Amino acid sequence: MPNKKKNQVTASPERRGELRGLAAEVFAAQGYNATTVRRIADEAGMLAGSLYYHFDSKESMLDEILATFLDELWEGYDAVLAAGLGPRETVEALVTESFREIDRHRAAVAIYQKESRQLALQPRFHYLTESRLKFEKAWLGTLERGVADRVFRADLDIRLTYRFVRDTVWVAASWYRPGGQHSPEEIARQYLSMVLDGIAVRS
């Protein structure tokens, strides 16, 4: 009976979430291929064999980390895209939602940035390509709508602008730390000011 009770405690969703978060930090710092199950177990203060009680493989850990992040990202993005906002307001809301996701899933974002294209070649991670294409469609469509509505400049290179905004926002996962001096919403406002209005004083 004591062993059964101990296993039930160990198998709690809270503990699984803690281990997933810890694994994400290790993957983000060391890279997925360079990280061993033993290293994650060491960080968790447990034996490597005990970690398999929660996840059947290192791949399963990574899959859950990325899927959890992307499910939450798209929940927020889909709500923005369905809100009927104007093009500029949509860009502002998408950027703000992106920084909120970096705040919630910084390590997962860092992993996605570094590893997604290589991982997407594996059948288990094909959804990464689907998500990337959906992401691209949402951004390009919003920018094109902004040009058509004369909210954005007519000479805007849509694809270049998309890449610039995408990379400028998501690279923040490399330096952002939750609980820092600025909230994700404050950082989003600063980024949006620079992206939409520039940094030079207007004459």
Side-chain angles (χ1 to χ4, degrees), residues 20-38:
R20 186 176 63 234
L22 190 150
E25 292 292 341
V26 178
F27 288 145
Q30 294 198 334
Y32 174 67
N33 289 331
T35 299
T36 62
V37 171
R38 180 180 296 277

Side-chain angles (χ1 to χ4, degrees), residues 99 103 176 179-189:
F99 277 106
D103 182 65
Y176 179 82
Q181 182 179 358
H182 301 292
S183 70
E185 291 80 10
E186 289 169 344
I187 295 173
R189 281 195 293 271

